[in-house]
Amino acid sequence: MSSDQQYPYGAHDPYGQNPPDPHVTQTWEGQTWDTQYQPVAEPGQHAPYPHSAQYPQAAAETAYLPPVGAAPGAYPLPPETPAAPAAGPAVAPVPGAPVAYGPQGASYGPAAEPPAAPVPPGGAEPAYGTPTTLGNARVTDAQRARAEGRSPIIPPGMRPAGLTALTGLLLAATAGVSPYLLLVPLIALQGLTAAGWFRLNGMWPARQGIALAFAGGLVADAVLLAAGREHAPAALVGTLGVWVLLTLVLQLRSHAAPDERMYGLMATIASAALTIVAAGFLAAAPDAVAAGGAAVAVAALARALPLPGAASVAVALLAAAGAGIAAGAVTGAGAEAALPALGAGVCALVGLRVASYDYPSRFVHMTAGVALPLTAAAPIVHLLGRALG
């Protein structure tokens, strides 16, 4: 290889003793682009690049590079045109609308706005069906009632009433057999009471509070079995006092905010009190428990019937009194059992009302709606049973 080929821009002279001759043309032997070749493009098409053209090898043709477009017969490349849009309804551009950028080669234009919601005829207010259930396939009755602005009172219905009736009949059937057999439905009632009260107050999960209230009910049962029916008031009040003190100590050791601690304190004390009061079925006379359990069972079923408000209450109370008389006929108490049965029916209606308040969920209905009618009737059954001897 010559020095001109090795150093195409002049011989290598680090000391500048041999200046380059200005009349000598520097050449480069090799393939290069042919600038005189300009393809003629058809209108509306991109000019193809001459990838398959044969380039001359002579160095003389590349010694002088003329400017682009100087060669005869050359035409400039046409401007790029966007591809034809896809078939479909044309969307008019909106000033200020965002521009949608699709994949490479797609047309660019303003993004199409989503279709507007249909307007009901006559200018009426839209129905709440679609907006309240959109995106939530399992919307509850309480959520739908709250969204539609209906009454916050939602009765539990027939299924919780059936469970209440079953529990009440179990209490009535086992009261005259053995107090230990009575513990089976009573413990289930106390567990439902503890969990249902917390859920009714919007506190869930509240495992420690539920466990504490349920433990209070179990301790009250044990104290009543040990002390006997004659010492039942002292046993119930003493257990309740100890549990209130224990709840205060536990809440003082909590690191929650003051408002949360106060709310948790009141909910725990109320749940423990109801659970302990439910133990009054152990302290009551067996005949009074039988009449009260049957009365609550019939009253809950009658209240769940689709009747007007006043008529439903009257039918429920009459049914409770009739159930008490029937239970008295079975146990030998006679018509005197109608009084504790009527009192138990009134308390059952109060418990159902409490379990129906403030848009209750299905879980509230299946816990508080089942337990509160019987739990509220426990002290009345105990007091009226003692009064009747």
Side-chain angles (χ1 to χ4, degrees):
M1 181 182 296
S2 64
S3 61
D4 292 341
Q5 295 178 353
Q6 186 176 2
Y7 303 101
Y9 299 99
H12 180 65
D13 188 5
Y15 301 101
Q17 296 179 359
N18 299 319
D21 189 356
H23 300 287
V24 178
T25 302
Q26 303 294 331
T27 60
W28 178 268
E29 295 182 0
Q31 295 182 359
T32 182
W33 295 100
D34 185 5
T35 58
Q36 296 184 359
Y37 176 78
Q38 295 293 337
V40 179
E42 296 294 334
Q45 296 182 356
H46 294 285
Y49 293 100
H51 295 291
S52 60
Q54 300 294 330
Y55 301 99
Q57 304 294 331
E61 296 181 3
T62 60
Y64 173 71
L65 300 178
V68 177
Y75 299 96
L77 294 176
E80 294 185 1
T81 57
V91 179
V94 180
V99 179
Y101 298 96
Q104 185 177 6
S107 61
Y108 304 103
E113 297 182 356
V119 179
E125 293 294 331
Y128 286 97
T130 302
T132 54
T133 59
L134 185 61
N136 187 3
R138 300 183 61 184
V139 62
T140 61
D141 295 338
Q143 293 174 346
R144 184 179 295 107
R146 186 188 298 271
E148 296 178 359
R150 291 186 292 173
S151 172
I153 305 299
I154 302 178
M158 185 59 69
R159 184 177 299 178
L163 294 177
T164 301
L166 177 61
T167 308
L169 293 178
L170 288 176
L171 290 173
T174 57
V177 179
S178 171
Y180 297 98
L181 190 60
L182 180 62
L183 280 176
V184 176
L186 180 58
I187 290 176
L189 174 64
Q190 289 172 327
L192 291 176
T193 302
W197 185 259
F198 274 95
R199 192 64 183 92
L200 183 62
N201 286 269
M203 302 180 65
W204 191 266
R207 299 181 182 88
Q208 295 181 355
I210 294 174
L212 183 62
F214 183 60
L218 295 181
V219 171
D221 296 341
V223 172
L224 281 174
L225 290 177
R229 290 192 178 96
E230 59 275 8
H231 303 291
L236 293 176
V237 174
T239 305
L240 181 59
V242 170
W243 238 249
V244 170
L245 181 60
L246 179 61
T247 305
L248 284 172
V249 172
L250 293 178
Q251 288 297 327
L252 289 175
R253 294 173 58 88
S254 175
H255 298 287
D259 294 341
E260 295 181 1
R261 282 189 294 177
M262 180 59 67
Y263 193 55
L265 174 65
M266 299 306 297
T268 305
I269 290 178
S271 180
L274 290 173
T275 308
I276 292 172
V277 164
F281 284 110
L282 277 177
D287 296 343
V289 174
V296 172
V298 175
L301 291 176
R303 192 70 175 90
L305 295 176
L307 298 174
S312 177
V313 172
V315 169
L317 293 180
L318 291 176
I325 295 175
V330 173
T331 59
E336 295 181 354
L339 184 59
L342 184 61
V346 173
C347 293
L349 296 183
V350 173
L352 285 173
R353 183 71 171 185
V354 173
S356 305
Y357 186 67
D358 198 14
Y359 300 106
S361 62
R362 174 58 59 182
F363 187 86
V364 173
H365 283 165
M366 298 303 293
T367 53
V370 173
L372 285 184
L374 287 167
T375 301
I380 295 298
V381 169
H382 170 64
L383 294 177
L384 293 181
R386 288 174 63 91
L388 294 177

